[in-house]
Amino acid sequence: QIQLVQSGAEVKKPGSSVNVSCKASGGTFTTYGISWVRQAPGQGLEWMGDIIPIFGTTRYAQRFEGRVTITADKSTSTVYMEVGSLISEDTAAYYCARRSNWFDPWGQGTLVTVSS
Amino acid sequence: EILLTQSPATLSLSPGESATLSCRASQSVSIYLGWYQQKPGQAPRLLIYDASTRATGIPARFSGSGSGADFTLTISSLEPEDFAVYYCQQRANWPWTFGQGTKVDIK
């Protein structure tokens, strides 16, 4: 049973970048995708982008295109998401989730706080 | 982009009561609609997929119905652990999108 374990909370300054990791344990990526979903405080869920690790193919939500980069290291079963040019509105919990036909399972979430 | 509208925003009920949550899509998504439960401080959890199929380990009191653009999640008899926020999500078209959520809280 695959589990996704994310890196810890981050505090970043506006204009900087953050890199969040998502490591799969108890299984392999196979042909599934790994998506990133964010949730601002008290708000809903927003899909950001996706990678199929064994192929390296990515796609991004239009609003994040150019500011978010998702990569994968097959040797360590880890997916990374970098968000650049951070602004205060990027303060949110960021979740990775395995994408087969649905998002399941999810990582535990990584809180990113953007503050000067 | 397909817009999903959930109603009501909040549902205040007592344990043992039945809950009915609605999700309406801006265009047909066929049966490609899922439901997730999220408790405070936790990641979402898949409850229902393909409109009406329960995910592994989900109790039978959760049921989903609908097709096209109108969907319903029913919780037949609320248990204390069911008070949470519920999101619908479509996978018919990219980008996959979520509804804004319905909070089920204790009356």
Side-chain angles (χ1 to χ4, degrees):
Chain A
Q1 182 78 341
I2 191 169
Q3 288 187 304
L4 301 177
V5 180
Q6 298 182 224
S7 51
E10 302 263 13
V11 179
K12 293 292 182 179
K13 299 256 189 245
S16 67
S17 298
V18 68
N19 204 320
V20 183
S21 68
C22 172
K23 182 174 174 61
S25 63
T28 60
F29 286 140
T30 66
T31 57
Y32 293 144
I34 297 289
S35 278
W36 289 90
V37 176
R38 84 172 184 181
Q39 186 172 40
Q43 302 301 308
L45 303 168
E46 180 177 28
W47 178 79
M48 300 177 67
D50 185 271
I51 188 168
I52 301 177
I54 64 167
F55 301 127
T57 52
T58 56
R59 69 177 110 192
Y60 300 96
Q62 190 171 12
R63 66 175 296 197
F64 296 109
E65 192 90 48
R67 200 163 71 91
V68 171
T69 303
I70 301 173
T71 57
D73 182 342
K74 289 182 288 185
S75 68
T76 61
S77 299
T78 303
V79 170
Y80 300 91
M81 180 188 63
E82 181 178 35
V83 183
S85 304
L86 289 167
I87 58 176
S88 59
E89 288 77 12
D90 292 318
T91 293
Y94 291 79
Y95 296 98
C96 63
R98 186 179 68 172
R99 176 186 62 79
S100 53
N101 287 324
W102 301 98
F103 298 123
D104 181 53
W106 295 60
Q108 84 276 19
T110 297
L111 180 62
V112 175
T113 303
V114 182
S115 173
S116 55
Chain B
E1 178 170 314
I2 295 177
L3 180 67
L4 298 178
T5 302
Q6 293 187 240
S7 61
T10 303
L11 202 49
S12 296
L13 295 167
S14 301
E17 290 191 298
S18 173
T20 301
L21 288 65
S22 174
C23 177
R24 176 163 290 178
S26 58
Q27 64 189 76
S28 175
V29 297
S30 184
I31 63 165
Y32 302 124
L33 193 286
W35 292 92
Y36 298 81
Q37 177 194 66
Q38 187 179 32
K39 297 179 182 179
Q42 296 185 18
R45 174 176 72 146
L46 179 66
L47 292 178
I48 300 284
Y49 63 91
D50 291 347
S52 61
T53 303
R54 279 189 301 277
T56 302
I58 301 304
R61 65 180 180 272
F62 291 92
S63 63
S65 63
S67 65
D70 286 298
F71 299 87
T72 300
L73 173 69
T74 302
I75 311 171
S76 61
S77 177
L78 284 162
E79 297 286 342
E81 62 267 27
D82 300 335
F83 291 93
V85 180
Y86 293 84
Y87 295 94
C88 58
Q89 175 244 316
Q90 64 82 22
R91 70 170 185 91
N93 285 352
W94 282 102
W96 291 4
T97 49
F98 293 90
Q100 82 280 16
T102 290
K103 182 178 183 180
V104 179
D105 66 13
I106 298 177
K107 188 173 182 180

